[in-house]
Amino acid sequence: KLISHDEHVCGRCRQAISHGTIINALDSVFHQDCFVCGLCQGHLEQFYGHNGMPYCEKCIDEAESAYIF
């Protein structure tokens, strides 16, 4: 979904989005170039969300099973 550029901050890089395409997903907004898989960094045609980040089909199981100590 495309939205306007009114002082949005990217959910991945945390930088202001001042121009270009904005992707609205996972209760956040992303630069188009930042909307990639959270593990393999691959381009996403379809995605699965986990902890506010997008993942591709190959990586979602690993993301869901990862533990942070």
Side-chain angles (χ1 to χ4, degrees), residues 1-28:
K1 178 179 174 185
L2 302 179
I3 57 178
S4 67
H5 297 167
D6 300 330
E7 297 298 318
H8 294 289
V9 175
C10 179
R12 178 174 293 277
C13 73
R14 304 291 187 220
Q15 298 297 311
I17 301 174
S18 60
H19 64 281
T21 301
I22 296 173
I23 297 176
N24 184 4
L26 304 168
D27 296 324
S28 191

Side-chain angles (χ1 to χ4, degrees), residues 3-4 16 21 31-32 42-44 46 51-52 55 58-59:
I3 57 178
S4 67
T21 301
H31 293 104
Q32 185 173 14
H43 176 73
L44 297 168
Q46 296 181 343
N51 289 334
Y55 295 92
K58 290 179 2 182
C59 294

Side-chain angles (χ1 to χ4, degrees), residues 21-69:
T21 301
I22 296 173
I23 297 176
N24 184 4
L26 304 168
D27 296 324
S28 191
V29 292
F30 298 84
H31 293 104
Q32 185 173 14
D33 290 343
C34 289
F35 194 71
V36 296
C37 176
L39 289 178
C40 73
Q41 309 302 307
H43 176 73
L44 297 168
E45 292 293 327
Q46 296 181 343
F47 70 93
Y48 301 86
H50 182 67
N51 289 334
M53 294 303 295
Y55 295 92
C56 69
E57 186 174 10
K58 290 179 2 182
C59 294
I60 187 61
D61 289 339
E62 183 178 345
E64 290 179 338
S65 65
Y67 292 95
I68 299 174
F69 295 97

